[in-house]
Amino acid sequence: MDHIYDDLLKKLKQLTETTWKEKISGADITRWSKQFPKSDSAHDNQQLQALFLLSNFIYFGQPEIRELLRSLYRDLYKTPAIHTIRRATANTSDWGILAPAFLEHQRKTRFLGVGNPSESGVHLLYYFRQENSLPKSLFINSHEVFTRDTSTAKPSLQIKDDEIENYIFIDDLCGSGTQAAAYSKEIVEPLRKLKPSVKVHYLMLFATHMGLKAIRDLNRFDRVEAIYELDSTFKSLEQNSRIFTSIDTDFDRLKIRTTCETIGSQLWPEHPLGYKDGQLLLGFNHNTPDNALPIFWVEGTEIGQAWEPIFKRYHKDYN
Amino acid sequence: MATPTRPNPFSITRAVDLNDAQIEELWVTLKAEDDSLAVEFHHPTSKMPAYILGAKGSGKTHLMRHQAFELQKLRYQAEKLAVREGIARDGYIGLYMRCSGLSASRFDGKRQTQELWNDLFAYYFELWVAQQTLALAIELKLDEHPEVDEAVSRAILGLLDRTVDYIPFKLASVKEFFFEKQKNLDYEINNCLLKGGISVEILSTPGSLIFGIPRILANQFAFLKDVLFVYAVDEFENLTSSQQIHINTLYRERENPTTFRIGARTYGVKTYATNSAGETNIRNSEYIELRLDEKFRELRPQYALFCRSLASKRLTTALPSGLNSWKQIEIDNYLANFDAGWKSSSWEMIVDKESSRRPHFVRLQENLANLNGVVSFDEAFEKLRLTAFPLLEKLNLLLFYQKVARRTHPKTALNEISSLARQFIEDDESGTYAQSYSHYSRDLAAQLLREANRPLTYGGFDTFIRMSGGIPRALLTILRSVYEWSIFENEAPFEAGHISLKAQHKGVIDASDWYYNNMRKAGVEGQYVQAAIDRLARLFRISRFGDKPIESSLSSFSIAEENISPKARKILKVAEERAFLHRIKGGQKERNSDEVTAKFQISPMLAPRWDIPMARRGIHPFNAEDFNTIFDPDETSKYAALSTNWMNSVTFPFRKGTAIHHTPAQFGLFDD
Amino acid sequence: MIDYTYQYRSILNFDDIPNFSWDIFVSAYNPCDRVRNVFQKVQATRKDWLVHNEYQLPSNSIPANSFKSSSSMEDEFIMEYFETLGAPGELIDAKICIDVTGFMRPHMLFLLRLLFERGIKKFDILYTEPGHYSERDSTKFSSDDVELVRPVAGYGAYGNHTTENDVLIVNAGYEDRRVAEVADEQEKARKFVIYGLPSLKADMYQQSVLRTRAAYDALGDSHRTAFAPASDPFVTATVLSKLINDENQKQLISNLYLAPLGTKPQALGFGLYYLAEGINTATSIIYPFSAAYQADASTGMGRIWMYSIEL
């Protein structure tokens, strides 16, 4: 079993030297893994199991998230718009025509975050704007979509700027889709009634298969797209999990699942394996989503437990 | 959270990542006591062409660039000498160029004949070299006077097969002209299949520009009168056989004032043949050879000093600035080490307090049970144990096994050993016991550590020097890995405290893995080499950890090369070329025969992989049959039996006449 | 610098494939679903299988009437195939589609070069992402046994003997040994590594970074990084164009070496860049060649991309 431990340690060391650089150190890993019970039997060694899970944790640091935001703008917004313009202009490949037409299109676009201004989705907008060198005028809050016309007896809802043709919602992770559904209902439905020609899109960095489907089924948005779609193989402790393949027969999925459930039920009794059973091994530099396994992110002191996270989460408050 | 870390001071850089000033700094340190060597290292004024061969990372490129004009210039500046004076004084001018720029593999196929490709390559090489010579001339401002510029330019153009008089007679224009011709040649070669043919006019005969331009310059300029033009052609391994033959021909037929230095990886020279009436160039007749890492392995004290300076430089200067900005550091002060001596108190933490529970006595008990009560365990235990000195305890057991194998009566053996050991401890290290100790202490220490499940690294900078086997880049790799692991272990390497043995061990293992995977030849032969060394090393490991090792500190072997199979010979050759094995100088005639044997050591960089020694002492002689079993990929079916034989020879009760066919000549081996 | 993103790309539904029809469709045979299923589904007047010798496929598994050649060089191989298609004049207006999923990169690139040279500058390319790589970090994509690093045929450069500012740009994927061989070959060059980000799947980026770390020794610790999407040749070409342009502004590059060792679409992007900006310069595309390659390391089918190339 020794070489398994050595191999894991080597991989973890390499992670601390590359994508986890300046986020996680060898000391952090030791401190976190020591919280798991150790045993002499290799098969039941929970510390080893924890290290195995950790070695499969996908972390996107700041340079990576910024690049994904660049990709979101360029690949999910700009390029489709350019192509639409091309098709409408006899397929010209002349940037002298395409560029100004796109700028015009962009002038009539507004970007919004999903959720409360202090939450990570909105926080993301700042980096999105920075990375893509976009003017502030393109960014609005949800309350700026409408205005109230108080000139009539009964004040009515009006679109604040009728020139805007495209509204783009931006989010980092869509897990179950419930949050996005809730936030968007109050905006998108009245928007469409007031301006039937409007285009409303929902673009994300990450989305689970389930979440994407839930939002698409609402038939509320023109385009619902994510850079990364996380299918069911990303549920790390389920049967077709992508981390339990032929190489790693040393690790028993069910045993590891039990370890996570046991500790997870102390950390987040309602969702011991992550929000709505997310079971994700995923984190970003600005936060760790709560769909990820709680053993990684729960801050014990907040719940009166002695537990130190390794990829700490700054928790949303659903009150 | 992790705090931003300092960059690794040993990050991998090669000659090519260092700028010229940094290379100079490195070479200032390498002073050989042997003056003639110093001369070869610093000033190539010999007209004899030379090959400079080295393993990957041996410093070959460093040396060649050190001898090249860019660095000559820097040295003259530092001495406040005018460049021309400096050149005249040193008597040579080096032009460094790399074969990789030629893209040599494209001179092939594409529905053209081999003859055409040979001609095109020769022409391309002329243009290539000519441009660089002219660039040098321009840098030396040889064109500063228009009349001289014109005369020289005319003379150079006159070397061509055809009159060229439509370009200005200036060196810069001539150089540009050659560049255009070369680019045109590139275009034709790269696109000939697409275009359906090649149309090129070859303007010069091989050698005409290469030898002609230096001659013209030497005739024209006084300071160049007695100066040797040294074409330093590096990365020779990139050329095909026929292309190497062309270069071989050039240096064989070289004309004053030109000569060649050819840099290649140890495996890179494919042929010494030439196009000169079928002649082959002969060593010490047409060329000399300098094998860099081999030299470093011989010049141990100098190499060690070089390594310490190299490491010190890295540590004291993040970005080396001036030539005097570093200082020698006592690197050992930062490294934990393990004292493996018999008096060392470190053993207390390693072995069981109770001698009877130590694995070697447990084994003795099992072994004696098979001796039909000739001697009881309690008796043996009383005579052999030395609880305070576990290493000597081990030696006692080894001597016991040796004597028993020689048919000495066990009780006699016990008494002899007990008394010798006492004498050794009291008289401080004298007698035959002392000799045995000096031979076997390292192996026995390894056994103790292994039995206690401890890593077999003693740590310390000398270990790293020895491990690097004469290859500076290997040393850097070790240091880099050790540093990384130290950081991961939350230590403060070279800032505060010691780098732990654990971090050193992990770093050593990583570096060994790198060497195993990256030094080998690509392709199936590389895999054969790995497999052969693996088989060899596992035998050595069996011996090292046996009750009675066959040899002390076994990492080397000897073999009469002419007797082994062709395939085994090939794999042996590749293993040596790729620095998996190092040839030990001085093949000898065997005592009782006329065979000349060659001796080899497994690279110390690989030793940790199998826990075999880095040091070299015992040399095991193989017969041809056993050697083929190990090295010939077609003969490996007998390996299991060979391995069992070895196991039996070193394991109580040491069944005789099995593994060792050859009469051994080393101390500690046993005649049957 | 050129922005290539005006060129069309789209994701196809498997069942929509028959909605397109081409005159000539060519694919390189691989015994995996994502290659075979697409070939079945495509509608074309002429559909050709190419068989790469290097995959060493058993002869009874190869479809009948496949194109085979004994040539070991990518230019000979593709030239021979191309000559079976008829005279170049006949092809100028043909609607051509190439499924690059199973192609070896050098052959794919040379085909592009050849089409370009013969004036066929508009054609479609299909690429189907793998469903899943079964062995993650340790996926062995091809024989690690690199025999020779050399320019891909048709992507050579003129040599610049001043080598002060040589640059090597490697597009890294999972093949660290190949990356190391290429980097070793160009020891002196300054090195850039382009990673596939966004990667094809969420875990692949981190895996490719880990794999590439094994080649750090050859890359040198001071190499610089850049990103381009693993599935987009046009952005890849644009990223390349910008990177090179920026470097040239700081100091003219003496010799530029490009090594597309990432995904097929990214290699395509490298080819697009060369054909638009690299011909007749000191730029070459180099590749680590082996004698044998593993045919396919994946299972299942991911997204199906169609790229409408405009050279």
Side-chain angles (χ1 to χ4, degrees), chain B residues 49 89-90 217 254 260 290 375 393 496 510 516 559 576 668:
Chain B
R89 181 197 68 183
D90 281 352
L217 297 178
R254 58 173 196 78
F260 286 82
L290 173 61
V375 65
E393 222 173 53
D510 267 5
Y516 184 74
I559 184 66
E576 186 190 354

Side-chain angles (χ1 to χ4, degrees), chain A residues 238-304:
Chain A
E238 290 297 314
Q239 199 169 28
N240 63 343
S241 157
R242 42 178 48 226
I243 69 173
F244 291 98
T245 63
S246 52
I247 291 190
D248 300 301
T249 42
D250 301 300
F251 291 101
D252 184 321
R253 179 180 64 84
L254 292 171
K255 288 199 174 168
I256 295 187
R257 189 186 175 113
T258 307
T259 302
C260 292
E261 278 166 343
T262 312
I263 302 181
S265 57
Q266 308 277 341
L267 300 177
W268 198 4
E270 298 86 2
H271 304 276
L273 295 181
Y275 184 68
K276 293 226 170 142
D277 197 33
Q279 300 181 27
L280 290 182
L281 293 171
L282 181 64
F284 319 124
N285 107 283
H286 56 276
N287 207 356
T288 306
D290 58 10
N291 323 72
L293 292 172
I295 53 171
F296 288 103
W297 54 265
V298 169
E299 176 58 78
T301 53
E302 286 174 13
I303 51 167

Side-chain angles (χ1 to χ4, degrees), chain C residues 27-144:
Chain C
S27 177
Y29 184 74
N30 256 241
C32 64
D33 288 337
R34 60 183 177 137
V35 171
R36 289 189 304 198
N37 293 353
V38 169
F39 189 93
Q40 286 263 15
K41 201 81 173 172
V42 156
Q43 295 288 330
T45 315
R46 174 177 167 156
K47 294 207 292 188
D48 288 335
W49 278 120
L50 294 185
V51 176
H52 286 303
N53 300 321
E54 292 85 345
Y55 290 151
Q56 295 175 337
L57 298 167
S59 44
N60 54 10
S61 70
I62 298 171
N65 300 326
S66 312
F67 172 82
K68 294 187 269 289
S69 159
S70 57
S71 179
S72 59
M73 291 289 294
E74 63 275 20
D75 48 4
E76 298 273 4
F77 183 94
I78 295 292
M79 285 284 281
E80 275 179 50
Y81 167 69
F82 199 78
E83 282 157 5
T84 70
L85 292 177
E90 295 167 10
L91 297 170
I92 285 279
D93 295 316
K95 289 203 293 178
I96 297 177
C97 179
I98 307 162
D99 184 341
V100 300
T101 312
F103 259 82
M104 284 178 52
R105 274 167 286 214
H107 297 69
M108 175 188 83
L109 288 170
F110 187 80
L111 180 52
L112 233 66
R113 181 83 170 90
L114 187 55
L115 290 171
F116 176 80
E117 201 64 32
R118 298 284 183 260
I120 301 161
K121 301 203 176 166
K122 281 189 162 54
F123 47 88
D124 293 324
I125 287 190
L126 293 183
Y127 171 72
T128 307
E129 291 180 13
H132 188 35
Y133 288 119
S134 55
E135 310 216 331
R136 289 175 309 116
D137 296 339
S138 317
T139 301
K140 200 171 153 80
F141 274 70
S142 57
S143 161
D144 268 346

Side-chain angles (χ1 to χ4, degrees), chain B residues 381-397:
Chain B
F381 182 68
E382 264 320 297
K383 293 285 182 183
L384 296 176
R385 77 171 164 129
L386 286 167
T387 309
F389 306 116
L391 194 55
L392 297 186
E393 222 173 53
K394 276 287 236 178
L395 183 57
N396 285 350
L397 263 101

Side-chain angles (χ1 to χ4, degrees), chain C residues 170-191:
Chain C
V170 181
N171 171 221
Y174 280 22
E175 298 172 278
D176 54 277
R177 184 73 209 265
R178 290 177 177 278
V179 169
E181 291 282 341
V182 159
D184 264 342
E185 190 72 15
Q186 297 303 336
E187 271 195 312
K188 199 194 177 201
R190 278 192 305 123
K191 309 208 180 47

